[in-house]
Amino acid sequence: MGRPHRPARIKAALFDFDGTLADTERFSIEIDEEVYAFYGIAPTETEKGSLSGTDGSESIPALFRAYGLDVSAEEFFSRRRSSDVIYQELPIQASPGAHGVMRRLREAGARVAVVSTTRRDLVATALRRIGLADLVDLVIGGDDVVRHKPDPEPYARALEAFDVAPTEAVAFEDSPAGVASARGAGVYTLGFMGCCVPQELPAANEHFASFEELGW
């Protein structure tokens, strides 16, 4: 069986938020590093990026096990500054070209959703701050689902809300967990390689380095 093709007519465009639409992950990593320092470890860039797109329940203990430490996600977050400040106060910016791609997709008749592991109200606040809120029809946050990425539920929820078949949608993701979630829901997925900590995304249907290079 050959690789699936991008839908000829896109009815739903589904975007991850952190690292894909906005540069929030550089601030998240800075906050994470304070916790790493507390435990006396210095994870590699790849290990830091392994938390991207996840809720941390599995990725955080896995990272610490690599250093011989037993640290749960709950313990990690109890020692971590709240990430709310990232979305509410710090100088986050939209990924270059994202506004244009989202606008053109809407003009072509697609509905636009943001599908994130981050809490919905924080994503909504950040979208307003970076000037993308008016281009988004729906936000699915981590508090809207029972099972987070890499489970397909977040993307399945967006498709259900739009009453759109998976074959009529595309997703934009920057993490292996996010790609697995979108692909698991049957959605053609573009892997964004322009994040501050780019990761290998072999499961993505295609890859792009910048929204500015997309001729959509």
Side-chain angles (χ1 to χ4, degrees):
M1 182 180 295
R3 290 176 65 86
H5 296 286
R6 188 192 301 169
R9 182 187 176 197
I10 298 170
K11 293 186 178 181
L14 314 176
F15 293 83
D16 171 58
F17 186 73
D18 295 290
T20 302
L21 282 183
D23 63 346
T24 54
E25 288 187 346
R26 63 189 177 102
F27 296 110
S28 293
I29 288 172
E30 289 177 8
I31 294 175
D32 290 344
E33 286 174 340
E34 297 170 0
V35 186
Y36 302 146
F38 174 86
Y39 287 100
I41 66 173
T44 65
E45 294 302 309
T46 298
E47 289 170 333
K48 294 175 187 176
S50 69
L51 273 60
S52 174
T54 75
D55 62 6
S57 59
E58 297 181 5
S59 57
I60 289 172
L63 185 155
F64 280 92
R65 279 198 300 271
Y67 291 85
L69 298 173
D70 182 13
V71 177
S72 68
E74 291 76 14
E75 180 178 345
F76 178 87
F77 286 118
S78 74
R79 299 190 181 280
R80 186 182 189 268
R81 282 192 293 152
S82 172
S83 60
D84 291 17
V85 66
I86 297 172
Y87 305 91
Q88 297 170 344
E89 300 178 23
L90 295 183
I92 58 175
Q93 297 180 346
S95 295
H99 185 282
V101 168
M102 296 170 78
R103 176 179 51 79
R104 290 191 292 273
L105 282 164
R106 284 175 61 94
E107 290 173 349
R111 301 184 71 187
V112 173
V114 172
V115 181
S116 177
T117 302
T118 298
R119 209 171 69 228
R120 175 160 39 93
D121 66 302
L122 294 177
V123 174
T125 295
L127 285 168
R128 290 192 294 271
R129 293 185 63 217
I130 63 177
L132 298 181
D134 290 344
L135 298 174
V136 175
D137 301 297
L138 172 71
V139 174
I140 299 291
D143 51 332
D144 292 315
V145 298
V146 175
R147 297 174 299 277
H148 296 139
K149 303 174 185 179
D151 192 274
E153 182 184 353
Y155 281 96
R157 287 285 298 275
L159 293 171
E160 180 182 13
F162 284 160
D163 192 23
V164 168
T167 54
E168 300 172 315
V170 294
F172 301 82
E173 273 284 356
D174 75 319
S175 72
V179 171
S181 177
R183 290 293 310 275
V187 179
Y188 186 94
T189 305
L190 293 88
F192 178 50
M193 309 305 294
C195 180
C196 63
V197 184
Q199 301 182 70
E200 295 296 324
L201 303 174
N205 297 109
E206 63 179 278
H207 301 84
F208 68 108
S210 168
F211 284 100
E212 294 176 314
E213 76 181 34
L214 296 178
W216 298 21

